[in-house]
Amino acid sequence: MTTSTEPYVLNIGPQHPSTHGVFRLRVVMDGEKIKDLDMIVGYLHRSMEKLAEERTFTQNIPFTDRADYLAAMTGNLGLAIAVERLAGVEVPERAEYLRVIFSELQRIASHAMANGTLISDAGAWQTPLLYMFREREKILDLFEMTCGARLTTNYMRIGGVAFDPPLEFWPALQELVDELPDRIDEYHELLVSNEVFLARTRGVGVISPEDAINASLTGPALRGSGIPWDLRKADPYSVYDRMDFDVVVGKSGDVYDRFMVRMSELYQSVKIIKQAISQIPSGAHKTDIPLALRPDEGEIYSRIESPRGEIGFFLVSDGGPSPYRFHLRAPSLINLSLLNELGRDAALSDAIVTLGSLDIVVGEIDR
Amino acid sequence: MRTPTQLSGISVSEVLGKSVPDIVTAVTDEWIEVASDRVVETLQWLLDSDEFDAAQLSNLTAVDRHTHIEVIYHLQSLDLNHQLVVKTRTHGMDPAVVQSAYPVYKGALLQEREVYDLMGVRFEGHPDLRRLFLWDGFPGHPLRKDFLAMPGRITSGLEGFPFEDKDKPIRPINQENVETGVAYVVTGETDENRPETDLSEDRG
């Protein structure tokens, strides 16, 4: 006996745990299968790009906190580097190392969050997520110790960083990087061999390498499909060219591979932090720049590797103290270019896991 | 300004101009510019060429230049590790029309919707050109310079925000504060006629 169903429309979100923020999916379902899928964003739109045109370059740094609020450090750094390149500001060496240390700490915190919520989407409600939060919490404590804030750090400055970390920061950091590899091993034991998790993620949401490149995917979403592309290696900024680390790639481009790329990158980040601790020189942590920096007329597109991919800043200066045009290339948004193709004809539960594996931050999508 | 991995526009235009004559309309050290109805042709050529191998549309954005809108494509090759910048411009502001890059790059899908939403550029050939962030009935395109009165930067066609009471503008713009760059002019109470209060009594 065959039963037929009529297509119906289902709204997931805007308030829903699986959408990781204020993000709405409008799906047309036929039974358990998705026939069509549309994403509706903009609930968090704060017109940052317009506001930025009325503020000085330094005043725009806090906006980048609130764009990608799970990786504020890399957002700050991306803007700082873009303005430094545009205006020709030199950065002291100690500041460069501090930038690397904080960027990598942020990457660990963000990847832990991404993987924790992905597992939560796959059905292991909350427990693994809170395991992941254990390390993230310690990292946020280090941020708080240094700059007073945990999420919206506003730490990077044009020409350096805002503060030199206090003396008690260094032993706490050393303790953290010593214990982190063991903790990550624990997650591997807990999850990587878990049969339910494998069944939910292997062969689900497969992105081919050609599609991944053509659809402008970056970050773990691109590396999961087997493309060894990491801006820390390809277009080194700060002092990443002095660091020894590997670019982790997946094989099959499914949800599991994207998960594993993030997992393995945790080890690489620890490796980079250890090298930075041993190499960091003493000295100034910031160059003095004018209060209202006026870069010469011109434009620049400068990008760095955020936990979600290529975060780029396109700045146009007309010689004034504020940018004539300020554009933030949001990896979270652009990584969703394939969402419709991935979701169509998939089961609803698989589409949710696929969305989780792309690791979106809605603040950055909407800006 | 060119970043370390960015190719010079002059070298790109030399090779492109030999193969497709008269396609480059302007060139600088940083970028090349092509006509708005030849965007797909240019991008497809750069994607197919072995020398440039522009496999990925890294970033797509637009800038309001008062008389026209400039659309900017940042392309990159992952194998050769370089970037190149292609620009095009619309004929006038209303309507502002450019060919869609979606037939060449799937990554243009959402980026073009964003530019359409905020900058009002219509991309011809885009399969699903709708607003991305703002709702369908939203008046105007906010990233255009004439969307709101921006004191001290540009004169405006609008007196205030589209929905507010036009009789009571919250940001009155006149020629005086455009020149001096005063951000807000509050009418009514000023320092001279504000009644003096003795704060010592409030403190107890």
Side-chain angles (χ1 to χ4, degrees):
Chain A
M1 195 185 84
T2 54
T3 54
S4 62
T5 55
E6 276 183 25
Y8 61 97
V9 175
L10 183 68
N11 271 302
I12 306 170
Q15 304 288 351
H16 193 273
S18 70
T19 55
H20 300 191
V22 202
F23 176 91
R24 179 170 150 211
L25 279 176
R26 187 177 175 278
V27 287
V28 180
M29 303 286 300
D30 186 8
E32 276 284 299
K33 294 272 184 232
I34 294 175
K35 288 287 141 201
D36 197 11
L37 173 149
D38 187 18
M39 60 173 226
I40 297 155
V41 297
Y43 295 95
L44 232 63
H45 182 58
R46 292 149 290 175
S47 70
M48 277 181 194
E49 294 183 5
K50 186 76 174 175
L51 291 168
E53 291 172 8
E54 289 298 300
R55 281 155 178 76
T56 65
F57 288 95
T58 311
Q59 282 172 340
N60 282 324
I61 294 174
F63 282 140
T64 61
D65 293 332
R66 284 145 185 88
D68 185 350
Y69 44 74
L70 293 182
M73 287 290 184
T74 47
N76 293 171
L77 182 58
L79 178 58
I81 287 180
V83 180
E84 282 156 12
R85 283 178 176 167
L86 187 63
V89 177
E90 292 286 320
V91 183
E93 197 153 294
R94 184 177 176 82
E96 296 280 31
Y97 279 96
L98 287 171
R99 285 174 168 193
V100 168
I101 290 172
F102 280 99
S103 301
E104 292 310 314
L105 284 174
Q106 184 75 77
R107 197 178 312 276
I108 296 170
S110 176
H111 280 354
M113 181 84 178
N115 280 349
T117 46
L118 172 60
I119 301 160
S120 180
D121 289 343
W125 186 239
Q126 294 297 2
T127 305
L129 175 66
L130 289 173
Y131 266 81
M132 294 291 193
F133 267 45
R134 183 175 58 179
E135 268 63 57
R136 182 171 178 269
E137 198 62 22
K138 288 184 183 164
I139 290 169
L140 297 189
D141 284 345
L142 289 177
F143 288 178
E144 191 179 6
M145 200 186 276
T146 309
C147 63
R150 292 161 67 83
L151 280 180
T152 52
T153 52
N154 189 16
Y155 178 60
M156 308 294 175
R157 288 287 185 276
I158 296 158
V161 296
F163 313 102
D164 214 355
L167 284 177
E168 64 267 29
F169 172 86
W170 298 105
L173 177 66
Q174 191 62 50
E175 196 186 324
L176 180 73
V177 293
D178 287 343
E179 71 179 24
L180 257 175
D182 293 342
R183 297 298 171 103
I184 307 166
D185 289 344
E186 235 177 89
Y187 302 139
H188 273 266
E189 276 170 36
L190 191 69
L191 293 163
V192 174
S193 53
N194 184 312
E195 207 178 318
V196 178
F197 183 68
L198 292 180
R200 287 300 310 276
T201 54
R202 278 228 166 130
V204 171
V206 178
I207 303 176
S208 71
E210 295 77 26
D211 271 355
I213 294 176
N214 195 260
S216 304
L217 263 57
T218 46
L222 179 65
R223 293 194 282 276
S225 296
I227 316 283
W229 180 255
D230 190 324
L231 291 172
R232 291 175 291 173
K233 284 269 194 218
D235 187 5
Y237 51 93
S238 210
V239 284
Y240 277 107
D241 48 352
R242 298 180 205 169
M243 302 294 163
D244 173 36
F245 65 99
D246 299 321
V247 177
V248 187
V249 291
K251 273 185 196 147
S252 51
D254 57 7
V255 172
Y256 181 77
D257 276 14
R258 290 193 280 281
F259 174 84
M260 285 307 289
V261 165
R262 290 198 186 91
M263 270 312 214
S264 311
E265 278 185 3
L266 299 179
Y267 292 111
Q268 300 301 326
S269 292
V270 173
K271 202 172 157 189
I272 294 172
I273 296 171
K274 280 184 178 162
Q275 293 171 54
I277 293 174
S278 64
Q279 292 175 19
I280 189 167
S282 58
H285 65 278
K286 191 174 178 298
T287 354
D288 282 336
I289 58 156
L291 197 59
L293 187 70
R294 286 181 169 78
D296 292 340
E297 216 168 295
E299 60 185 54
I300 193 163
Y301 176 68
S302 158
R303 69 259 169 89
I304 69 165
E305 185 78 23
S306 99
R308 263 151 283 282
E310 172 182 334
I311 185 166
F313 288 87
F314 176 68
L315 303 175
V316 182
S317 168
D318 57 357
S322 54
Y324 179 78
R325 174 84 171 92
F326 175 101
H327 175 69
L328 197 169
R329 183 221 191 259
S332 291
L333 173 70
I334 297 168
N335 285 353
L336 290 176
S337 297
L338 284 175
L339 187 66
N340 193 301
E341 287 177 33
L342 290 172
R344 223 177 292 152
D345 295 327
L348 179 62
S349 50
D350 288 347
I352 295 289
V353 181
T354 308
L355 179 68
S357 75
L358 290 173
D359 185 21
I360 56 167
V361 170
V362 184
E364 190 185 52
I365 292 178
D366 290 352
R367 279 161 284 150
Chain B
M1 174 165 287
R2 279 202 284 143
T3 50
T5 54
Q6 193 176 328
L7 290 182
S8 159
I10 297 165
S11 64
V12 176
S13 91
E14 273 171 12
V15 182
L16 178 62
K18 264 181 209 158
S19 172
V20 193
D22 302 330
I23 198 164
V24 180
T25 55
V27 60
T28 70
D29 188 39
E30 295 166 45
W31 40 263
I32 60 166
E33 188 174 313
V34 297
S36 62
D37 54 354
R38 300 189 78 178
V39 169
V40 170
E41 191 187 342
T42 312
L43 297 182
Q44 189 69 53
W45 190 89
L46 290 170
L47 172 64
D48 293 338
S49 89
D50 291 334
E51 189 170 350
F52 297 119
D53 175 45
Q56 194 172 50
L57 173 65
S58 173
N59 180 43
L60 190 161
T61 187
V63 181
D64 184 343
R65 298 288 188 187
H66 303 313
T67 54
H68 61 273
I69 290 174
E70 197 174 80
V71 180
I72 301 155
Y73 305 83
H74 292 96
L75 310 172
Q76 67 180 3
S77 164
L78 306 189
D79 293 337
L80 304 176
N81 192 11
H82 60 222
Q83 282 180 294
L84 45 122
V85 184
V86 178
K87 288 188 178 185
T88 187
R89 60 172 70 191
T90 62
H91 293 289
M93 300 291 277
D94 246 340
V97 185
V98 171
Q99 269 188 344
S100 169
Y102 183 72
V104 189
Y105 297 111
K106 283 180 192 169
L109 182 74
L110 297 172
Q111 305 193 62
E112 285 184 349
R113 276 182 67 187
E114 181 189 331
V115 172
Y116 166 69
D117 186 0
L118 302 179
M119 199 62 99
V121 179
R122 286 216 338 260
F123 289 94
E124 273 186 345
H126 191 283
D128 182 28
L129 196 63
R130 288 175 292 142
R131 282 184 177 274
L132 184 64
F133 299 136
L134 305 170
W135 62 99
D136 291 338
F138 191 87
H141 301 283
L143 276 184
R144 287 196 178 186
K145 293 287 178 188
D146 61 359
F147 177 73
L148 272 183
M150 288 292 157
R153 289 180 73 78
I154 188 168
T155 50
S156 162
L158 295 167
E159 282 172 18
F161 201 73
F163 301 117
E164 77 197 20
D165 187 357
K166 288 276 163 45
D167 296 332
K168 286 185 274 178
I170 49 166
R171 303 176 78 181
I173 306 299
N174 57 38
Q175 203 50 45
E176 189 190 338
N177 60 44
V178 168
E179 277 173 4
T180 54
V182 176
Y184 293 91
V185 177
V186 183
T187 51
E189 201 174 82
T190 61
D191 284 345
E192 285 78 44
N193 61 19
R194 184 178 296 136
E196 281 188 26
T197 48
D198 192 357
L199 291 174
S200 58
E201 284 180 15
D202 291 344
R203 290 197 196 100

